[in-house]
Amino acid sequence: MSSSNNKISALGQTLRTDWQLYLLLAPMVIWFIVFLYTPMAGLQIAFKDFSLFKGIYGSTWVGFEHFQTLFNDELFLRSIGNTFLISLYSLLFAFPMPIILALMFNELHHAVFKKTAQTIAYLPHFISVVIVAGMVVSFLSPTTGIVNLVLEYFGFEKTYFLTNPEYFRPIFIGSTMWKEAGFESIVYLAAIAGVNPSLYESARVDGASRWQQIWRITLPSILPTIIIMLIIRIGNLVEVGFEYIILLYQPATFETSDVISTFIYRVGLQGSQYDIATAAGLFNAVIAFILVYSANRISRKLSSSSLW
Amino acid sequence: MSGFNLYSRGDKVFGVVNATLLTLFVLSTLYPFIYIAASSISSGLAVTSGDVLLLPKDITFAAYDRVLSDPVFWTSYANTLFYTIFGTLVSLAIIIPGAYALSRKRLIGRRYLNFFVAFTMWFHAGMIPFFLNIRDLGLLDSRIGILIAFACTAFNIILLRNFFESIPESFEEAAKMDGANEFTLLWKVYIPLSKPALVTIALFCIVARWNGYFWAMVLLRDEDKIPLQVYLKKIIIELNMDDQFASSLINSDYSFETIVAAIIVASIIPVLAVYPYLQKHFNKGIMMGGVKE
């Protein structure tokens, strides 16, 4: 009792002497409460029959009814499957790419070429997804797109790639890689820059080839960074660039392109079924949290690197 | 180094293969930009018949005339400038003092406050509760809403906090000796010392504001308020689905494709103009604190 009283008086003391510090902190804390924590209270409508008139707090509880609806909804189940497949494929193909690029940049000894190559590689990151989608649409257009013109020249048939579900994932992952792989390599280049140069010198004296130096020195040295990026990536698995998917997908490709976030967007924001969409969102967020938590746990067991 | 063979033959082959692969990568990164630029100043017919692969053909600026004569294009351009400039200022006004306070070791409850910020990186309420919250706050279809609702990210705050923490405490002690309070300390000592970090965070904000489309599309109804990316989305994506519109344009000086190309070029030019400046800074910024072990 007295210790908590002491704490309170100590807090009062620092508030008096350090009020300026708390004043500086206040806008940020208020912002987080208003824009990120208040919506968390809104999550309760996942368990309510939400009515616009009664509001979030006045609506009646319905328990897990919305979750039952969702898990009987083939479209929702399909979106879960698509989310995991797209994530899995981008983990397999898009995740290693920036690592490989960073290793390649690092082996480039011509300074001007190196700088030019990096400048160009980073550039697409600064282009909006709307423009990237515009470029993809324009390149893949069935009548005038350059890809189809080339296919036609070599005697193949023209294909409307964007209406064919089979092509959606390669197009999505490929264009995302075009946009981000170069820029993501920066993080690994930063890690490589931190490797102790004497390691390379002694390896060279021992006669290690450049290939061996990459495998024996560079890769092991940047492994902690790779693991942290992997954990972050796993945490974002269920997010899968939905802002970009919305631009690129159409009803004809929903079969392979509709992910949980785009499902929430259509059902919630376009269809105004707020409660069901919130339930889907909550499911999404909980899975994301479990994924990043377990990835972190596993990584802490296997190696020394972890996010917390 | 004479007499010491740095590279064996295998290493030289390795170097050549590496440079070749990187050259291919760079060319494939660059090609879409070149193609779009070339199409934008070619005739609609030349693009439609596939004559434009690398260089422009039948050079004409008809597509630009058409794009630049659309008043909505200019309104949305002005809106984007507004959201980018003021949005970034709002972000910095909240992030800088917040990150500074978090970096002070004597701050009571510092651990909890750090968790309070970082937790939002891993868990957030999601699209619908966020939207309903904005609606309840009366910020739907509001320019102010766009400016403040997207001001902070936990990532930017943590990045800046880490940088502030790396500044030696002796600076603080010396300034306090001279009678500086927290505000002058932040303004006169910490901000000037943190220029690279601040520029990096400002750049992150600028890029996010300039390129953001999703929430602007969801929250803004009024055409007078939409930013450039929402306008682009309407023209490029929605009209592309509209076959009638596309075919109505073919065979004139411009076609749907050349108009899209011209819009893309017009909206990329400012990015390209500031890019050299951008590049100088983000490299340093990301190395600084993006990933901490």
Side-chain angles (χ1 to χ4, degrees):
Chain A
M1 202 49 207
S2 69
S3 86
S4 73
N5 272 341
N6 281 344
K7 262 188 190 162
I8 288 168
S9 68
L11 186 66
Q13 178 68 26
T14 41
L15 276 179
R16 261 194 301 283
T17 51
D18 268 341
W19 61 271
Q20 294 173 335
L21 215 49
Y22 293 93
L23 196 63
L24 289 167
L25 188 69
M28 187 191 81
V29 171
I30 294 170
W31 187 91
F32 269 81
I33 292 172
V34 171
F35 289 105
L36 294 178
Y37 282 92
T38 310
M40 287 183 199
L43 278 171
Q44 58 182 280
I45 69 169
F47 307 96
K48 283 183 164 178
D49 181 19
F50 181 63
S51 134
L52 274 177
F53 303 104
K54 292 180 191 161
I56 292 175
Y57 296 94
S59 299
T60 41
W61 293 96
V62 293
F64 285 86
E65 196 186 295
H66 298 314
F67 291 91
Q68 275 172 350
T69 314
L70 280 172
F71 287 100
N72 286 318
D73 183 350
E74 268 174 45
L75 297 184
F76 181 67
L77 297 176
R78 182 184 73 183
S79 76
I80 297 178
N82 283 336
T83 306
F84 278 95
L85 277 180
I86 290 180
S87 297
L88 185 70
Y89 290 139
S90 48
L91 216 52
L92 283 176
F93 297 104
F95 182 74
M97 197 57 192
I99 303 171
I100 296 169
L101 271 176
L103 294 173
M104 289 171 77
F105 279 135
N106 188 51
E107 294 296 324
L108 214 52
H109 296 306
H110 191 288
V112 178
F113 180 37
K114 185 175 178 177
K115 213 184 156 217
T116 316
Q118 280 177 276
T119 304
I120 294 169
Y122 301 159
L123 181 59
H125 171 77
F126 296 95
I127 306 301
S128 75
V129 282
V130 180
I131 289 174
V132 176
M135 286 180 169
V136 169
V137 166
S138 151
F139 271 62
L140 298 177
S141 147
T143 46
T144 61
I146 189 123
V147 174
N148 272 313
L149 292 172
V150 172
L151 281 180
E152 200 182 30
Y153 180 83
F154 287 106
F156 292 99
E157 262 185 46
K158 287 190 168 194
T159 321
Y160 194 7
F161 293 98
L162 286 171
T163 52
N164 193 330
E166 262 177 65
Y167 295 115
F168 183 83
R169 285 171 198 145
I171 292 168
F172 172 77
I173 293 165
S175 51
T176 309
M177 275 164 76
W178 176 81
K179 184 171 171 4
E180 302 297 345
F183 191 74
E184 284 173 9
S185 71
I186 287 187
V187 175
Y188 299 106
L189 279 166
I192 293 174
V195 180
N196 187 349
S198 64
L199 288 175
Y200 292 105
E201 274 161 39
S202 50
R204 249 174 273 154
V205 172
D206 290 345
S209 70
R210 287 168 79 175
W211 187 248
Q212 284 167 328
Q213 289 174 38
I214 292 177
W215 276 106
R216 300 278 167 78
I217 302 171
T218 317
L219 261 182
S221 306
I222 64 169
L223 197 62
T225 309
I226 295 179
I227 289 172
I228 286 189
M229 296 306 283
L230 190 65
I231 299 173
I232 294 175
R233 188 55 91 102
I234 287 171
N236 292 335
L237 275 184
V238 292
E239 291 287 331
V240 291
F242 77 95
E243 298 192 358
Y244 182 45
I245 294 184
I246 287 174
L247 296 166
L248 220 50
Y249 79 166
Q250 22 188 299
T253 56
F254 278 1
E255 188 187 325
T256 54
S257 62
D258 193 23
V259 295
I260 303 176
S261 306
T262 53
F263 176 88
I264 296 168
Y265 169 67
R266 278 202 319 282
V267 171
L269 292 180
Q270 293 187 320
S272 296
Q273 286 180 279
Y274 296 124
D275 41 14
I276 293 204
T278 303
L282 184 58
F283 171 78
N284 207 29
V286 169
I287 298 286
F289 192 79
I290 293 172
L291 279 174
V292 75
Y293 185 79
S294 356
N296 201 49
R297 277 295 283 270
I298 293 168
S299 138
R300 207 157 33 167
K301 276 219 173 116
L302 295 181
S303 69
S304 56
S305 35
S306 65
L307 272 171
W308 63 79
Chain B
M1 272 309 189
S2 60
F4 187 73
N5 190 7
L6 250 182
Y7 295 120
S8 70
R9 229 183 104 209
D11 284 347
K12 275 181 192 140
V13 173
F14 177 93
V16 172
V17 171
N18 185 38
T20 313
L21 287 177
L22 273 176
T23 309
L24 287 176
F25 171 77
V26 163
L27 290 179
S28 62
T29 306
L30 213 48
Y31 181 69
F33 291 106
I34 295 170
Y35 174 76
I36 294 288
S39 320
S40 75
I41 52 169
S42 300
S43 77
L45 193 66
V47 173
T48 314
S49 52
D51 290 339
V52 179
L53 286 175
L54 191 64
L55 295 172
K57 195 157 181 262
D58 307 338
I59 291 179
T60 164
F61 291 91
Y64 286 96
D65 282 341
R66 165 87 191 239
V67 170
L68 302 183
S69 63
D70 183 354
V72 185
F73 174 80
W74 291 109
T75 316
S76 65
Y77 223 115
N79 285 334
T80 288
L81 281 175
F82 173 82
Y83 294 132
T84 304
I85 294 169
F86 290 98
T88 303
L89 290 178
V90 170
S91 297
L92 292 177
I94 300 177
I95 292 173
I96 294 174
Y100 171 77
L102 278 186
S103 74
R104 302 297 85 193
K105 292 217 166 63
R106 66 174 187 284
L107 187 78
I108 296 222
R110 186 163 169 260
R111 263 193 62 192
Y112 299 104
L113 285 163
N114 276 325
F115 180 77
F116 172 80
V117 170
F119 180 67
T120 60
M121 276 169 87
W122 310 119
F123 188 85
H124 50 84
M127 212 183 284
I128 306 301
F130 182 83
F131 171 80
L132 290 175
N133 184 44
I134 296 286
R135 203 199 52 170
D136 293 345
L137 291 167
L139 294 175
L140 275 191
D141 207 16
S142 137
R143 283 200 169 93
I144 303 292
I146 297 287
L147 289 187
I148 62 168
F150 306 95
C152 293
T153 63
F155 180 79
N156 284 345
I157 292 168
I158 292 170
L159 194 78
L160 189 58
R161 184 205 65 199
N162 289 349
F163 193 87
F164 282 147
E165 278 175 0
S166 73
I167 294 175
E169 274 177 47
S170 52
F171 281 100
E172 180 178 352
E173 284 155 23
K176 284 248 165 96
M177 233 46 124
D178 294 341
N181 62 24
E182 295 294 339
F183 305 113
T184 46
L185 187 64
L186 173 59
W187 189 250
K188 295 264 170 72
V189 180
Y190 277 75
I191 288 180
L193 284 175
S194 313
K195 243 173 140 187
L198 292 174
V199 171
T200 305
I201 281 159
L203 291 179
F204 285 163
C205 295
I206 291 170
V207 171
R209 296 283 182 172
W210 183 270
N211 287 337
Y213 93 94
F214 180 76
W215 283 108
M217 170 184 85
V218 169
L219 300 178
L220 299 172
R221 303 283 141 84
D222 196 344
E223 207 179 51
D224 286 348
K225 294 174 188 155
I226 62 166
L228 184 62
Q229 302 301 337
V230 175
Y231 170 82
L232 290 176
K233 192 228 164 213
K234 281 198 171 126
I235 302 281
I236 299 176
I237 310 292
E238 286 168 22
L239 290 187
N240 179 60
M241 315 270 174
D242 185 356
D243 281 342
Q244 265 193 326
F245 174 82
S247 57
S248 75
L249 288 169
I250 292 177
N251 288 332
S252 48
D253 270 352
Y254 48 75
S255 67
F256 174 70
E257 281 72 25
T258 63
I259 287 183
V260 165
I263 294 177
I264 291 179
V265 172
S267 61
I268 288 182
I269 281 174
V271 179
L272 290 184
V274 295
Y275 183 63
Y277 180 75
L278 280 170
Q279 209 221 338
K280 211 167 63 193
H281 287 98
F282 61 67
N283 230 334
K284 206 192 283 173
I286 290 178
M287 302 224 177
M288 241 165 36
V291 177
K292 258 197 142 187
E293 282 167 35

